[in-house]
Amino acid sequence: MLPNDKPLLILGTGLFAVEIADLATEIPGVTVAGFVENMDRQKCAQPLDGKPVHWIDDLNEQLQTHRFVCGLGTTHRGRFTDQIASRGGEFATLVHPSAPVPATSSLGPGTILNVGVIIASHTILGAHVCVNRGATIGHHTRLDDFVTIGPGVNLAGSCHIGSAVYVGIGATIIDHIKIGARSVVGAGAVVTAEVPERVLVVGVPAKIVKRDIEGK
């Protein structure tokens, strides 16, 4: 886990970015310095939640003096993080005090564990993974880069969640399940069988209702 001794800039200016900023203020040693916008420069004209909004192309000194974390709920947040990484920016890993991480588990750079998250032993979370409020991640489970886990998700042990998968609020995934990259698990779904890449599954038990998607 990266130390958080540098001020933090949140990538994004939506409501979720504001929530992540609030989360960060509850982590000892983390100071939120502001937000970064990369699509609409007009959003930089006014503060957000009382803090400045920086246009991404104007970041110069901040790339060395600050750390970054992405405040986008979408699994496409790699488009934003790549812009920072290509210019040498460094990413923080945010873990709320109510979300202890076992010594046998690991978190990649840019990963966020929200309030009340439970991470079991021998679990690997990749880069820029977002685990939302009250979700549970079972033992010996792997989450690849850019996965989003919604609030209240129950993910069992020995699972493999592919890159840029989105798991909706309250979904349940039983043990030893693999979910392919860029798939979406609908809210409240119960996944009892392997899910291929780039599909949307919903229901109890979860069934494929759409193919050839690109995450959410």
Side-chain angles (χ1 to χ4, degrees), residues 76-200:
H76 299 294
R77 52 187 171 270
R79 300 170 183 171
F80 208 157
T81 59
D82 284 352
Q83 289 179 285
I84 297 297
S86 67
R87 299 175 62 190
E90 187 177 15
F91 293 95
T93 300
L94 300 184
V95 178
H96 190 270
S98 65
V101 178
T104 56
S105 296
S106 63
L107 310 178
T111 283
I112 300 169
L113 302 186
N114 215 309
V115 177
V117 167
I118 297 175
I119 301 291
S121 66
H122 297 89
T123 293
I124 300 172
L125 277 65
H128 308 291
V129 171
C130 184
V131 185
N132 282 292
R133 301 178 309 280
T136 62
I137 310 295
H139 62 88
H140 294 88
T141 284
R142 175 180 172 182
L143 279 66
D144 290 342
D145 299 348
F146 301 108
V147 168
T148 295
I149 302 295
V153 166
N154 188 358
L155 175 56
S158 300
C159 292
H160 180 195
I161 310 302
S163 62
V165 165
Y166 187 99
V167 182
I169 185 171
T172 298
I173 301 170
I174 70 167
D175 58 299
H176 293 87
I177 291 294
K178 181 178 180 180
I179 297 181
R182 300 199 176 279
S183 286
V184 175
V185 177
V190 177
V191 180
T192 60
E194 182 172 335
V195 175
E197 294 185 0
R198 293 178 165 83
V199 299
L200 168 64

Side-chain angles (χ1 to χ4, degrees), residues 2-118:
L2 290 173
N4 294 304
D5 53 342
K6 295 180 180 179
L8 185 69
L9 288 171
I10 311 292
L11 306 181
T13 56
L15 294 178
F16 190 61
V18 173
E19 179 186 357
I20 296 304
D22 188 62
L23 166 77
T25 63
E26 297 183 7
I27 301 173
V30 177
T31 301
V32 178
F35 300 86
V36 181
E37 172 63 25
N38 71 337
M39 296 184 69
D40 183 359
R41 189 162 192 155
Q42 291 184 348
K43 292 183 178 180
C44 302
Q46 300 292 333
L48 176 62
D49 203 33
K51 299 186 183 299
V53 178
H54 303 273
W55 181 241
I56 188 166
D57 292 336
D58 293 341
L59 295 175
N60 292 301
E61 180 183 349
Q62 294 96 332
L63 291 166
Q64 284 72 49
T65 59
H66 292 64
R67 286 197 174 94
F68 300 84
V69 73
C70 193
L72 301 181
T74 172
T75 57
H76 299 294
R77 52 187 171 270
R79 300 170 183 171
F80 208 157
T81 59
D82 284 352
Q83 289 179 285
I84 297 297
S86 67
R87 299 175 62 190
E90 187 177 15
F91 293 95
T93 300
L94 300 184
V95 178
H96 190 270
S98 65
V101 178
T104 56
S105 296
S106 63
L107 310 178
T111 283
I112 300 169
L113 302 186
N114 215 309
V115 177
V117 167
I118 297 175

